[in-house]
Amino acid sequence: MRDLYLFCLLTFSAILRSQSLNYYFGNIHAHTSYSDGNEDSTTSHMTTPLQAYNYAKSSQHIDFYGISEHNHYSAGLTSPVHYHKGVADAKTANNSGTGVAMYGMEWGLISGGGHVVVYGIDSLVGWDNHDYDIYVAEDDYANLWRVINERPGSFACLAHPQTGDYSNLLANSADMLADNAIVGTAARSGPAFSTNTTYSNPSSGNYIARYNDALKRGYHLGIGLDHDTHNSVFGRQTSGRLVVMAPSLTRVNSMDAIRRMRSYSS
């Protein structure tokens, strides 16, 4: 009888916990003029992350929004000062319960091994002369994973991963350092350069095969969806969304949900 009582109690507790999570919709992959975004700024008159957040808050089904500027000089981020301004803009725009604003970086070069979306580090990680707070060489993914793991609450998501990216990460057995740092990958990404504002331009990139590769190698990853926005259409070019499951709409809870892999693409 005692065992039955304990089983019922645990089952009821699990049901209560499952009911305590809500579904929140958004995107964590977008750019402003602080790197190579806002390409239509002459007509949109938007250039800053703060403007992007305010625009996204008025978009349909956007509960949280993340700007992830490219981390290097050749993609337009010419000084750590811009990154710090973006962090400040996110703090200004963030409103628990109505609209969460997050700021991070898209680290790496496509030609040098692939892009990684990184959140939870308020310092610019890079390699260009005088254009970083924390130095990590441009193709040193192992050191990037170490930097992320040393900062509680930070995480990485693989952006539009290709075979051979990240020092051929997905072709080998899971690396513990990488597995601890990486919490997700995009099922779809884009359309990156869309100027559509009617939610009718679907994502074109499909990365399910790379997600399956990661799982086969032993990695533990959530699945998401990225917009990779480069024009001033924050949240409006596509109806696709990253969905997170969290107890309430706060930045801490949203980031924790992604880090704990309570996410999916919709």
Side-chain angles (χ1 to χ4, degrees):
M1 186 66 181
R2 180 178 178 276
D3 289 342
L4 178 60
Y5 173 77
L6 180 61
F7 173 78
C8 292
L9 181 63
L10 291 173
T11 301
F12 182 65
S13 176
I15 292 172
L16 285 179
R17 285 197 302 272
S18 68
Q19 291 176 336
S20 68
L21 297 178
N22 302 304
Y23 299 87
Y24 299 112
F25 299 78
N27 171 51
I28 62 169
H29 189 168
H31 308 285
T32 73
S33 68
Y34 285 10
S35 60
D36 65 349
N38 291 123
E39 292 193 353
D40 58 344
S41 62
T42 56
T43 55
S44 72
H45 306 295
M46 282 191 274
T47 57
T48 69
L50 184 58
Q51 291 171 310
Y53 293 129
N54 289 335
Y55 185 95
K57 286 178 182 180
S58 297
S59 298
Q60 295 178 18
H61 303 295
I62 291 291
D63 300 307
F64 62 90
Y65 205 81
I67 304 293
S68 51
E69 304 291 8
H70 288 283
N71 75 306
H72 54 94
Y73 195 95
S74 62
L77 203 155
T78 57
S79 169
V81 171
H82 296 302
Y83 189 78
H84 302 157
K85 286 181 179 178
V87 171
D89 277 3
K91 290 179 180 178
T92 299
N94 187 62
N95 289 297
S96 295
T98 58
V100 164
M102 301 180 290
Y103 196 76
M105 71 194 84
E106 185 174 13
W107 193 95
L109 299 168
I110 289 180
S111 61
H115 285 165
V116 182
V117 174
V118 179
Y119 279 90
I121 302 177
D122 286 349
S123 300
L124 180 62
V125 183
W127 56 82
D128 288 318
N129 191 28
H130 304 301
D131 199 14
Y132 61 83
D133 299 306
I134 302 169
Y135 178 79
V136 175
E138 67 181 61
D139 58 350
D140 191 353
Y141 292 93
N143 201 23
L144 177 65
W145 313 141
R146 180 190 60 78
V147 167
I148 293 169
N149 289 331
E150 288 175 350
R151 289 155 178 80
S154 62
F155 59 82
C157 293
L158 305 181
H160 42 74
Q162 301 291 338
T163 301
D165 276 358
Y166 322 114
S167 300
N168 215 25
L169 187 76
L170 304 183
N172 300 293
S173 297
D175 173 79
M176 184 68 71
L177 198 66
D179 195 32
N180 287 337
I182 305 166
V183 300
T185 188
R188 291 188 177 276
S189 183
F193 300 98
S194 174
T195 57
N196 188 295
T197 57
T198 64
Y199 309 93
S200 58
N201 199 175
S203 299
S204 54
N206 189 322
Y207 305 96
I208 292 294
R210 302 291 77 74
Y211 177 63
N212 288 334
D213 288 343
L215 298 183
K216 290 174 185 177
R217 299 302 178 187
Y219 285 100
H220 303 82
L221 300 179
I223 192 72
L225 184 145
D226 287 347
H227 293 173
D228 197 4
T229 304
H230 285 74
N231 283 294
S232 307
V233 295
F234 306 102
R236 303 188 193 183
Q237 73 266 51
T238 178
S239 59
R241 296 290 185 264
L242 167 66
V243 188
V244 302
M245 292 167 279
S248 63
L249 184 60
T250 68
R251 181 194 287 176
V252 170
N253 286 344
S254 299
M255 291 180 63
D256 185 63
I258 298 171
R259 191 170 57 83
R260 294 179 183 272
M261 296 168 272
R262 294 198 306 263
S263 62
Y264 65 92
S265 60
S266 169

